[in-house]
Amino acid sequence: MLIVKMPLFSTRVLLLTSAEDLDCTPGFQQKVFHINQPAEFIEDQSILNLTFSDCKGNDKLRYEVSSPYFKVNSDGSLVALRNITAVGRTLFVHARTPHAEDMAELVIVGGKDVQGSLQDIFKFARTSPVPRQRRSIVVSPILIPENQRQPFPRDVGKVVDSDRPERSKFRLTGKGVDQEPKGIFRINENTGSVSVTRTLDREVIAIYQLFVETTDANGKTLEGPVPLEVIVIDQNDNRPIFREGPYIGHVMEGSPTGTTVMRMTAFDADDPATDNALLRYNIRQQTPDKPSPNMFYIDPEKGDIVTVVSPALLDRETLENPKYELIIEAQDMAGLDVGLTGTATATIMIDDKNDHSPKFTKKEFQATVEEGAVGVIVNLTVEDKDDPTTGAWRAAYTIINGNPGQSFEIHTNAQTNEGMLSVVKPLDYEISAFHTLLIKVENEDPLVPDVSYGPSSTATVHITVLDVNEGPVFYPDPMMVTRQENISVGSVLLTVNATDPDSLQHQTIRYSVYKDPAGWLNINPINGTVDTTAVLDRESPFVHNSVYTALFLAIDSGNPPATGTGTLLITLEDVNDNAPFIYPTVAEVCDDAKNLSVVILGASDKDLHPNTDPFKFEIHKQTVPDKVWKISKINNTHALVSLLQNLNKANYNLPIMVTDSGKPPMTNITDLRVQVCSCRNSKVDCNAAGALRFSLPSLLLLSLFSLACKLA
């Protein structure tokens, strides 16, 4: 049968002794204790005494127990932390100083298997030997502290097999042996001694799952494989770390004592089931330390930061600085002096609440403004002790009286918090020379219940309107008249009327022409009578849509004088004063053309209906025998000129007379130049007839295109 004996460490004690200490053996003086399971372990009652010596005076001696329900006092006494009825079958006590460490085993006689005694503290997979039925190899976990120092390799266990056949060998496999990370453990194939080759780190790998088997000389497995767990025992080699910063908390001023501000939690990479990762928190420093050096308290276990001063002291307006910085320390080993520490800075902002109403710096404000002007006339100043970055400080102004015509508006300057009072509708000195406004100021945020707006939150603004020499005003404006074009020169169109708004001043008004694009008008400077100086022409380029526009000035006798501008719109009625004209005035035809159509003529007139179409087209006179030319009406605006017979190649001038429909009508006679060309073999020769070279089809197409444009 194979039996695996598992010493707690390679030599059961880490020896760091000098030659002078050879007469002292470091470690526990007794390695195994047997304790009868009582009905109940009583809290703080000594169970047994352990004796440990590192041969150097036991400086900084620390004990660790595999069960969270027990502890070992500094004098070596094992006590329960509370009343316990069931513990398990085995406890382990680990002692350590800077010079030595050792492990003692406590066997509970009559104890029952309790899940988690060693597993809870060291995260062991199992805490007692696991027998294998009908097998010779029996193994128990191997316990190895992390961070062991040289020398290496060192034995950590040994496999003993009294029934092992001769020349058989032990073989060890698994992660840490022949699998990555390779070479950490090895076994003496002849003696069965298991050794570790280098320092272990529990935070990298906490448990190694290995397998032990025996083989013959040829490597054939005789027995096994049997699982073998190597469990790395945690050491306190990791400091607490605050990983979630920056830590910024806010608390409202005047908050009750005990108000939670924020939570600070740190991380410790050590075994969370041991005191190595059991953290305690405290405040190392508070800046500033006024009005109290202890403004806040931190729960040592949870890390909650709470206020500890009275609400009256937590007043943002009286604090030297509304921002506090706390140096928070986290210490493992439940806060013992031997624990490792880590620190972080917590920034706590004392937030403002609207506990101060805004107040005007003066009860009354004065302002002056010229009549007719607009814009800001005065800035109203207020004081507010609240935080300038919040709605508790930002002011909102309202005009509550004296603004029936809505001539004034008030807005807040976002940088200064001042109220900018503006004139938005021009004021009239002659109507009112003085205005009195009542203004109130409030905050954007509502006040707290015990604070209200008082008399200082209202102010009066006295506004004086300064008289300004205003320009005369035409009435009506614009002025409109309707006249026929071509009225006689010197005709009176109208008499303009301008009045001076400065009714309290006695001023005279003179008139003048400001803009008269065509130069048609004149105005009497004294009485404002407007007459014509030239013939009005509706077809003038200065007339748009039959309307002619002119501007006049009215100038008062003030010092300096003021000017007003008036607009005159003259609507011109049409008179038949434009004769119609034809287009085109040149045509071309072949001397042997079978189609004797020459050209389609169109007519146009600058006048308006009824002084335009329908037009009448006629041939005024012919220089060739009768019945050579013919003109036929197509519609109200177009006619067709054609030949009754072919003509010889030459140039012909045909007088066309066109008459409009006005009363009386107007007639225009225009010569139509017709070129008769030689058209042979698709070539058109008009040299003898003139310079134009258009074929008859092209000429007809051009004429039809002109007709279409006219009809459109």
Side-chain angles (χ1 to χ4, degrees):
M1 174 176 291
L2 286 163
I3 300 176
V4 177
K5 294 185 177 180
M6 191 279 298
L8 296 177
F9 300 95
S10 59
T11 59
R12 296 188 62 87
V13 180
L14 177 63
L15 300 178
L16 296 172
T17 59
S18 62
E20 294 79 3
D21 299 322
L22 293 178
D23 58 341
C24 176
T25 301
F28 282 107
Q29 302 306 303
Q30 183 177 345
K31 308 296 186 181
V32 180
F33 297 84
H34 292 80
I35 304 172
N36 291 323
Q37 170 74 54
E40 185 176 33
F41 288 98
I42 306 302
E43 180 180 357
D44 291 334
Q45 179 176 310
S46 178
I47 300 171
L48 56 86
N49 289 318
L50 302 171
T51 303
F52 175 88
S53 175
D54 66 353
C55 302
K56 295 289 186 177
N58 284 354
D59 184 37
K60 297 182 180 179
L61 173 61
R62 291 169 50 194
Y63 292 99
E64 296 177 354
V65 184
S66 62
S67 171
Y69 307 125
F70 295 88
K71 72 173 182 177
V72 177
N73 293 323
S74 59
D75 61 359
S77 59
L78 174 71
V79 298
L81 296 176
R82 60 182 179 85
N83 295 343
I84 307 170
T85 57
V87 175
R89 293 184 176 179
T90 307
L91 297 177
F92 294 93
V93 178
H94 180 216
R96 180 174 64 177
T97 72
H99 305 287
E101 59 181 325
D102 197 5
M103 185 88 74
E105 181 179 3
L106 283 62
V107 179
I108 310 298
V109 179
K112 298 180 180 180
D113 285 332
V114 176
Q115 178 69 24
S117 61
L118 199 59
Q119 182 176 355
D120 287 343
I121 298 302
F122 298 123
K123 290 189 175 178
F124 292 171
R126 288 183 294 273
T127 61
S128 60
V130 180
R132 307 295 187 192
Q133 294 183 357
R134 296 185 297 278
R135 286 185 178 178
S136 300
I137 302 177
V138 178
V139 297
S140 295
I142 296 177
L143 309 180
I144 306 176
E146 64 174 335
N147 304 324
Q148 285 185 318
R149 301 176 182 176
Q150 295 283 356
F152 290 106
R154 61 172 68 193
D155 290 341
V156 293
K158 184 177 182 181
V159 176
V160 178
D161 184 6
S162 59
D163 297 331
R164 181 163 61 95
E166 293 185 6
R167 302 183 65 184
S168 63
K169 299 179 180 181
F170 294 102
R171 181 162 62 194
L172 187 64
T173 60
K175 291 184 179 180
V177 182
D178 57 346
Q179 302 176 30
E180 294 295 341
K182 296 181 180 180
I184 296 178
F185 303 100
R186 62 191 183 192
I187 190 169
N188 187 306
E189 62 182 14
N190 296 317
T191 65
S193 293
V194 178
S195 59
V196 63
T197 62
R198 56 179 180 262
T199 299
L200 302 181
D201 187 349
R202 188 203 69 85
E203 285 70 49
V204 176
I205 300 178
I207 299 176
Y208 293 87
Q209 298 287 349
L210 308 181
F211 297 91
V212 178
E213 59 184 342
T214 57
T215 65
D216 59 17
N218 296 322
K220 182 179 179 181
T221 300
L222 300 176
E223 180 71 25
V226 175
L228 172 62
E229 286 184 336
V230 177
I231 301 166
V232 184
I233 300 175
D234 185 44
Q235 306 294 315
N236 191 21
D237 57 348
N238 289 278
R239 293 182 178 275
I241 299 174
F242 291 91
R243 301 190 299 186
E244 300 175 359
Y247 296 91
I248 301 176
H250 294 263
V251 61
M252 190 70 70
E253 65 172 329
S255 295
T257 303
T259 299
T260 300
V261 181
M262 60 191 300
R263 172 170 289 187
M264 296 278 288
T265 55
F267 168 78
D268 195 311
D270 290 320
D271 190 341
T274 68
D275 284 354
N276 294 338
L278 185 58
L279 304 182
R280 294 293 182 265
Y281 301 93
N282 69 88
I283 300 175
R284 290 281 300 273
Q285 181 180 332
Q286 171 191 300
T287 305
D289 59 359
K290 304 250 184 327
S292 168
N294 299 303
M295 298 285 290
F296 306 94
Y297 164 80
I298 188 168
D299 187 301
E301 296 184 3
K302 296 179 181 179
D304 289 338
I305 299 176
V306 300
T307 62
V308 294
V309 295
S310 66
L313 289 181
L314 206 63
D315 185 354
R316 195 198 66 85
E317 286 73 38
T318 61
L319 294 176
E320 177 182 328
N321 189 338
K323 180 175 75 173
Y324 287 86
E325 289 190 349
L326 308 180
I327 304 299
I328 305 299
E329 178 185 74
Q331 187 170 29
D332 59 22
M333 298 302 295
L336 296 177
D337 291 342
V338 295
L340 303 178
T341 61
T343 61
T345 299
T347 301
I348 299 177
M349 308 297 299
I350 311 301
D351 291 339
D352 185 42
K353 63 180 179 180
N354 198 8
D355 54 352
H356 295 86
S357 62
K359 298 179 180 179
F360 283 101
T361 57
K362 295 187 295 184
K363 189 64 179 175
E364 294 183 348
F365 293 85
Q366 306 291 330
T368 58
V369 58
E370 291 183 348
E371 65 172 331
V374 294
V376 177
I377 58 174
V378 65
N379 289 324
L380 310 180
T381 54
V382 296
E383 293 179 346
D384 195 317
K385 295 181 180 180
D386 291 312
D387 186 353
T389 64
T390 67
W393 178 81
R394 290 190 292 270
Y397 297 87
T398 306
I399 302 174
I400 59 178
N401 195 16
N403 190 29
Q406 305 301 310
S407 299
F408 302 93
E409 287 184 358
I410 187 166
H411 300 280
T412 304
N413 186 314
Q415 283 69 42
T416 64
N417 218 27
E418 295 177 342
M420 301 182 296
L421 181 63
S422 302
V423 176
V424 293
K425 292 182 180 180
L427 304 177
D428 192 337
Y429 172 84
E430 284 70 32
I431 295 177
S432 177
F434 300 97
H435 296 267
T436 301
L437 305 181
L438 185 60
I439 311 286
K440 74 173 181 179
V441 61
E442 298 176 326
N443 288 132
E444 289 184 3
D445 292 347
L447 295 172
V448 296
D450 54 340
V451 177
S452 60
Y453 295 104
S456 297
S457 295
T458 59
T460 301
V461 182
H462 299 286
I463 302 168
T464 300
V465 182
L466 303 178
D467 188 23
V468 174
N469 186 24
E470 302 171 87
V473 178
F474 284 88
Y475 181 83
D477 190 26
M479 300 161 282
M480 293 181 287
V481 296
T482 301
R483 296 289 186 274
Q484 280 192 340
E485 63 175 333
N486 297 335
I487 60 174
S488 60
V489 175
S491 297
V492 175
L493 299 179
L494 80 164
T495 299
V496 301
N497 179 35
T499 58
D500 193 339
D502 300 304
S503 58
L504 301 181
Q505 303 178 28
H506 300 287
Q507 299 183 129
T508 59
I509 296 176
R510 294 180 63 84
Y511 301 96
S512 65
V513 177
Y514 179 43
K515 285 186 179 181
D516 179 17
W520 292 341
L521 305 176
N522 175 66
I523 189 169
N524 186 303
I526 304 301
N527 61 22
T529 299
V530 178
D531 56 14
T532 62
T533 60
V535 175
L536 307 184
D537 183 6
R538 193 198 66 82
E539 289 75 35
S540 167
F542 299 106
V543 176
H544 303 282
N545 296 324
S546 300
V547 176
Y548 180 72
T549 302
L551 300 179
F552 297 95
L553 296 179
I555 307 169
D556 66 19
S557 58
N559 186 19
T563 302
T565 303
T567 301
L568 172 61
L569 301 178
I570 305 174
T571 301
L572 296 175
E573 296 178 339
D574 187 43
V575 173
N576 193 20
D577 56 351
N578 290 277
F581 58 90
I582 65 168
Y583 59 89
T585 59
V586 177
E588 183 182 286
V589 65
C590 292
D591 57 1
D592 60 350
K594 295 180 181 180
N595 185 351
L596 297 180
S597 295
V598 177
V599 67
I600 295 176
L601 296 178
S604 183
D605 194 317
K606 292 182 180 180
D607 293 317
L608 300 177
H609 285 288
N611 297 320
T612 57
D613 61 272
F615 298 114
K616 180 181 179 182
F617 296 88
E618 297 175 279
I619 298 175
H620 181 56
K621 62 181 178 177
Q622 298 193 39
T623 59
V624 296
D626 293 339
K627 298 187 179 179
V628 174
W629 303 98
K630 179 182 178 182
I631 188 165
S632 304
K633 179 179 179 181
I634 297 176
N635 55 32
N636 289 342
T637 58
H638 289 76
L640 172 65
V641 176
S642 59
L643 284 169
L644 299 177
Q645 63 184 43
N646 291 111
L647 296 178
N648 293 328
K649 181 179 179 182
N651 290 336
Y652 300 89
N653 289 324
L654 183 63
I656 303 298
M657 182 171 65
V658 59
T659 305
D660 63 22
S661 297
K663 294 182 179 180
M666 294 195 72
T667 299
N668 182 28
I669 300 174
T670 304
D671 283 341
L672 173 64
R673 183 184 180 191
V674 180
Q675 294 176 304
V676 179
C677 305
S678 175
C679 304
R680 302 291 184 271
N681 300 323
S682 300
K683 295 182 179 179
V684 178
D685 181 10
C686 297
N687 288 336
L692 295 177
R693 298 178 179 273
F694 293 100
S695 65
L696 182 59
S698 299
L699 186 59
L700 290 174
L701 181 61
L702 177 62
S703 300
L704 290 173
F705 177 77
S706 300
L707 173 61
C709 293
K710 181 63 177 178
L711 293 176

